[in-house]
Amino acid sequence: QSTWGLRILFSKYFFFISVKKAKVMSNFVRKHLVVIQHGMWGTKADTSILAEQIINQIPHSVVLNSTANQFLNTYHGIDVCGQRLVEEVKSFLAGCEPNSISKISFIGYSAGGLFCRYAIALLDSQKIFDTIQPDHFITVATPHLGIRHSSNDPVGRVWNKTTNVSHFYGGRSAYQMALLDYSGNN
């Protein structure tokens, strides 16, 4: 037997999640783990509606709505937050029945997308994806290219000056998003 996944439109953020066939082995169903990571200053409550919808609408899904980086813990840097997310995912997987998770997807909102991206690279280097198939990586409003602006216009120059003090309002994470942690000549 096989069950086809659904496409869901989460109307607030307008993105799609597509889930492919879930493999069914006799009475044992391997599950799809969906890891959700909120953004700066956030909590799992910020993404609870999304987590609920995934659980209710997608058969054979399991959701890990991350609590590893809540409130001021998002200040510690993208690498530190990504490492915390890895530890939370590994701990979650350790609590699951062996071979019960067949796929893993990540959804990150804002800075949570950067934390997920870092975590995915770490999980890959730790060979987690040798046994669990990575399926989707979805980010919403994530500053993949940083938060600096072109210095050719006055607004961009003012913004860039304010991001020089970003560590005061966002810690090391904001400093990294402002691309101020680069130590090269440029």
Side-chain angles (χ1 to χ4, degrees):
Q1 283 184 344
S2 62
T3 305
W4 287 96
L6 304 173
R7 283 189 183 252
I8 298 172
L9 172 62
F10 185 65
S11 60
K12 186 172 180 184
Y13 299 111
F14 301 104
F15 63 87
F16 289 95
I17 302 165
S18 65
V19 180
K20 299 174 187 162
K21 275 183 162 180
K23 294 180 182 173
V24 179
M25 297 179 281
S26 63
N27 291 332
F28 180 72
V29 178
R30 295 188 73 197
K31 299 188 185 247
H32 183 158
L33 173 60
V34 180
V35 179
I36 302 172
Q37 176 64 64
H38 56 76
M40 291 291 287
W41 309 289
T43 69
K44 75 179 210 171
D46 298 339
T47 51
S48 62
I49 293 172
L50 173 60
E52 238 176 73
Q53 290 301 310
I54 291 171
I55 291 167
N56 292 334
Q57 301 294 323
I58 301 177
H60 313 299
S61 65
V62 179
V63 173
L64 170 57
N65 194 2
S66 179
T67 59
N69 300 302
Q70 297 195 98
F71 300 115
L72 297 179
N73 281 340
T74 60
Y75 278 39
H76 298 151
I78 295 164
D79 51 339
V80 173
C81 293
Q83 180 62 48
R84 277 194 210 122
L85 184 58
V86 165
E87 295 308 317
E88 187 176 22
V89 168
K90 288 169 65 178
S91 175
F92 183 87
L93 291 171
C96 294
E97 291 182 34
N99 299 316
S100 63
I101 304 293
S102 62
K103 294 181 183 180
I104 187 168
S105 292
F106 290 82
I107 302 173
Y109 173 72
S110 190
L114 299 175
F115 304 159
C116 285
R117 192 173 78 183
Y118 195 89
I120 289 167
L122 289 177
L123 290 167
D124 185 43
S125 71
Q126 295 172 12
K127 308 293 185 203
I128 299 294
F129 299 142
D130 289 354
T131 56
I132 300 173
Q133 176 188 344
D135 201 34
H136 290 88
F137 171 49
I138 300 166
T139 61
V140 181
T142 297
H144 288 288
L145 300 177
I147 59 173
R148 295 188 62 85
H149 289 264
S150 169
S151 59
N152 294 335
D153 65 281
V155 174
R157 285 193 293 277
V158 169
W159 174 261
N160 291 340
K161 290 291 183 197
T162 61
T163 58
N164 285 334
V165 295
S166 63
H167 56 282
F168 292 118
Y169 61 84
R172 189 165 164 257
S173 295
Y175 195 72
Q176 290 171 334
M177 285 186 274
L179 308 178
L180 296 172
D181 60 330
Y182 178 69
S183 61
N185 296 330
N186 296 353

